[in-house]
Structure formats: structure tokens, C-alpha cells
């Protein structure tokens, strides 16, 4: 279900206020509408009912094109979908707000599912691996529900939907597109199933699960992984090895590694910080480093933009990605 608000241009600044974590750095967002939505996950609660996933759907400015808008299911990381700034807890985080502006500018509808809110969490970064019940494998069921939700909307091009995720959301994207996963196979083979995702992008995901799965993991769609060489939270090594394995098997997956870059290198601003509250990572108990590298961010953004243009709009810019 959804409750939509018409947002004429006179109220564009109101969207900016909703989207950005800090008004001083708020980008202008040309969005026609912002809708608070809810849709069923394929996941079930303790009573056997589908878990209802709240989310935020944004549509680009201007009339709906013939066939609908191409769309992106955007998956937040372990810190959740919303700002951590006091008083702005119901606003998109700064990173996701900037991403929304970029995607909308290219004419994509954007759906941000909140996998944590309906399960009683705002973040899971500070929970040890093994103690966190909201895993990427579980969230893949939310992503499949999001695809079903979008495909039923007349303003969405149901055969042109991509999945993009960051960190925990990037790991979720990799789990969602596994062509050899039982749930994914059942979803795709079900009568009346929507067209599957056209592309996947994972920023600094944990690649270990997919790598260890061997032949039991296969990307169902063209996939790009972007990760920092210095990442000590989700190390680049396992992603590089996954990429090499996929190249050897002829799978449509490429890994881009960015020198001098930590976890979260694509953040819109902020210095590298040492998060000692994170119990996981390469050195459990010693924290992790997170922060922006503007040069790597800009290069990655250009590659992602070219990749999505090709996959969702048929614009061939292969030399860039």
C-alpha cells in the first residue's frame, strides 16, 4: 500500500528537507513525488504472515514515460536507512539522500526498503556476526518482495529494475541475485513472476559467503562490485577472489578495487574515522575504519552511472565500466 503526496516544483525544497541529513549540505532533488510505502516480504513472521516492509519510493520529476520509469531497489547498509542525527531520525541518511538525487537525475524511480524498522532495529553494525538475526540471506526476501511491489505499479518499467546495495545491503544484493539459491529459483519460476532484476551493483559487500559457496553461487544478472583496497570491515581480498572465479567461469561479474580507500569510500563527505563500536571486521574487537575518498567516489559513481545507463536504458558506454 502507499500514501502519495503530489510535490509540485514549488515544494522541491521540502523534499530536500526530507531527504538530507544536514540541511547545509542538502542537494536539490527534482522529484515529482515521495511516497511512504509498505509491501510484503517473502519472509514470514513467527505467526506465518508475510513481514511487512516499510519503505520510501521516489519518482523523477516530469511525466511518466511510455512503459514507466526504470527503477532501482536501493538497499541500506548495517547502519540503517535513516539519519543518526538527533531530530532527523525519520529522514534518509546523507549517503542515501545524495544517491537518491543522482538516481532521480538520471530518470530512475528509487525504492528504499527499510529491512530493520519492521523487525525492531535501527542498526545492526554493533551486533556480532552470528548474533544478528537480520542477515543478508534474510533480507534477500525483502528485495524480492520489493521487486514484486514495483512490478505491479503502472508507472514502473517492470522489466528494467536494478538492485543496488551498500555494505550489508551489498551483501544482500549478492544473495538476492544468486541463480542457484532455492528461494530465488522458486521466485523466478513461479507462475506470473515479474521479470527479474536487470543488473546488480554492490558497494563494499562481504563477499565471503558467495565465494565459499563455490558452484552454489552464480550471478543471475550482470553484476559490479566496488570496494576499497584498504577496507578492514569487508575485505577486498574475498571480492577479488570471487571476481577471479567468476571470470574463469565466464560469469557477468566484475570487481573494481579502489586504492587508498576504506569502507564507505563513496560517502558524500567526512574524514576516515575509527569505529571501535563495530565488533566485526578483519580484526574483531579492534574496530574498523570508515570514511570518504572523493577521488575514488567520483570514479566509482561514474562507472555505476554508465553501467546502469547501459543495463536499464540500453546506452552502451562499456569502455567506462
Amino acid at each position: 500500500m502507499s500514501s502519495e503526496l503530489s510535490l509540485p516544483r514549488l515544494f522541491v525544497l521540502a523534499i530536500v528537507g526530507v531527504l538530507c541529513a544536514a540541511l547545509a549540505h542538502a542537494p536539490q532533488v527534482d522529484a515529482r513525488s515521495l511516497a511512504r510505502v509498505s509491501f510484503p516480504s517473502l519472509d514470514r513472521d513467527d505467526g506465518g504472515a508475510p513481514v511487512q516492509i516499510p519503505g520510501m519510493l521516489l519518482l523523477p520529476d516530469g511525466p511518466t514515460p511510455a512503459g514507466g520509469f526504470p527503477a532501482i531497489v536501493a538497499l541500506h547498509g548495517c547502519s540503517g536507512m535513516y539519519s543518526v542525527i538527533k531530530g532527523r531520525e525519520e529522514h534518509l541518511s546523507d549517503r542515501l539522500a545524495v544517491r537518491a538525487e543522482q538516481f532521480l537525475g538520471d530518470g530512475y524511480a528509487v525504492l528504499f526498503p527499510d529491512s530493520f524498522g519492521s523487525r525492531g532495529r535501527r542498526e545492526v553494525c554493533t551486533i556480532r556476526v552470528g548474533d544478528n538475526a537480520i542477515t543478508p540471506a534474510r533480507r534477500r526476501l525483502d528485495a524480492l518482495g520489493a521487486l514484486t511491489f514495483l512490478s505491479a505499479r503502472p508507472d514502473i518499467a517492470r522489466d528494467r529494475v536494478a538492485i543496488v546495495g551498500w555494505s550489508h545491503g551489498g551483501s544482500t544484493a549478492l544473495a538476492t541475485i544468486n541463480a542457484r539459491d532455492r528461494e530465488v529459483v522458486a521466485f523466478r519460476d513461479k507462475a506470473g513472476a515479474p521479470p527479474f532484476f536487470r543488473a546488480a551493483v554492490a558497494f563494499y559487500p562481504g563477499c565471503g559467503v558467495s565465494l565459499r559457496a563455490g558452484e552454489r553461487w552464480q550471478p543471475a544478472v550482470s553484476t559490479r562490485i566496488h570496494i576499497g583496497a584498504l577496507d578492514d570491515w569487508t575485505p577486498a581480498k574475498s571480492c577479488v577472489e570471487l571476481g577471479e572465479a567468476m571470470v574463469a567461469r565466464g560469469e557477468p561479474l566484475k570487481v573494481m578495487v579502489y586504492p587508498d580507500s576504506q569502507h564507505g569510500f563513496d560517502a558524500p563527505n567526512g574524514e576516515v574515522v575509527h569505529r571501535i563500536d563495530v565488533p566485526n571486521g578483519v580484526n574483531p574487537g579492534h574496530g574498523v575504519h570508515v570514511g570518504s575518498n572523493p577521488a575514488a567516489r567520483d570514479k566509482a559513481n561514474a562507472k555505476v552511472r554508465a553501467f546502469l545507463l547501459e543495463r536499464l536504458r540500453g546506452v552502451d558506454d562499456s569502455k567506462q565500466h
Side-chain angles (χ1 to χ4, degrees), residues 6-257:
S6 176
L7 297 177
R9 284 186 175 275
L10 289 175
F11 298 100
V12 166
L13 290 179
I15 298 174
V16 175
V18 172
L19 285 176
C20 296
L23 287 172
H25 301 289
Q28 180 165 319
V29 181
D30 288 327
R32 190 184 68 193
S33 71
L34 180 155
R36 298 283 181 172
V37 301
S38 178
F39 58 86
S41 171
L42 273 63
D43 190 20
R44 302 277 175 169
D45 62 21
D46 292 339
V51 175
Q52 290 295 315
I53 305 299
M56 188 180 294
L57 175 65
L58 297 103
L59 300 180
D61 189 33
T64 302
F69 294 106
I72 293 170
V73 174
L75 304 175
H76 61 74
C78 69
S79 58
M81 194 170 113
Y82 297 102
S83 174
V84 297
I85 297 176
K86 187 175 181 180
R88 302 190 62 81
E89 292 88 351
E90 298 306 315
H91 300 198
L92 280 178
S93 70
D94 191 43
R95 180 196 310 278
L96 297 185
V98 170
R99 285 295 179 180
E101 187 268 340
Q102 293 169 346
F103 291 150
L104 289 166
D106 280 339
Y108 305 127
V110 189
L111 173 61
F112 291 99
D114 177 11
S115 287
F116 295 169
S118 61
R119 297 182 175 104
R121 302 289 311 185
R122 285 193 69 90
E123 60 86 23
V124 298
C125 299
T126 57
I127 303 177
R128 292 182 183 277
V129 172
D131 295 336
N132 175 26
I134 311 176
T135 62
R138 191 174 184 185
R139 287 184 67 192
R140 84 194 192 288
L141 303 176
D142 301 349
L144 295 175
L147 179 61
T148 302
F149 168 77
L150 286 176
S151 71
R153 292 181 60 99
D155 52 3
I156 298 298
R158 64 198 308 265
D159 61 342
R160 289 184 289 147
V161 181
I163 184 170
V164 180
W166 293 264
S167 193
H168 196 282
S171 302
T172 300
L174 297 184
T176 304
I177 62 165
N178 183 5
R180 296 182 179 173
D181 178 87
R182 183 173 59 184
E183 293 275 4
V184 175
V185 171
F187 175 84
R188 298 179 72 188
D189 289 347
K190 186 177 180 180
F196 201 60
F197 293 104
R198 285 287 298 273
V201 177
F203 280 91
Y204 32 89
C207 293
V209 172
S210 300
L211 178 64
R212 290 190 295 272
E215 295 292 330
R216 292 179 289 106
W217 190 86
Q218 177 186 20
V221 299
S222 189
T223 302
R224 299 293 183 267
I225 294 173
H226 299 266
I227 194 162
L230 303 181
D231 198 316
D232 61 358
W233 194 341
T234 54
K237 183 175 183 292
S238 58
C239 291
V240 170
E241 291 177 358
L242 179 65
E244 291 171 347
M246 294 302 103
V247 169
R249 284 165 42 183
E251 302 290 356
L253 182 145
K254 294 182 181 179
V255 178
M256 274 66 73
V257 180

Side-chain angles (χ1 to χ4, degrees), residues 243-288:
E244 291 171 347
M246 294 302 103
V247 169
R249 284 165 42 183
E251 302 290 356
L253 182 145
K254 294 182 181 179
V255 178
M256 274 66 73
V257 180
Y258 298 87
D260 303 317
S261 299
Q262 306 278 3
H263 197 83
F265 71 87
D266 67 325
N269 49 56
E271 298 180 355
V272 174
V273 297
H274 184 200
R275 287 196 56 178
I276 60 174
D277 61 327
V278 175
N280 308 304
V282 175
N283 302 299
H286 295 277
V288 298

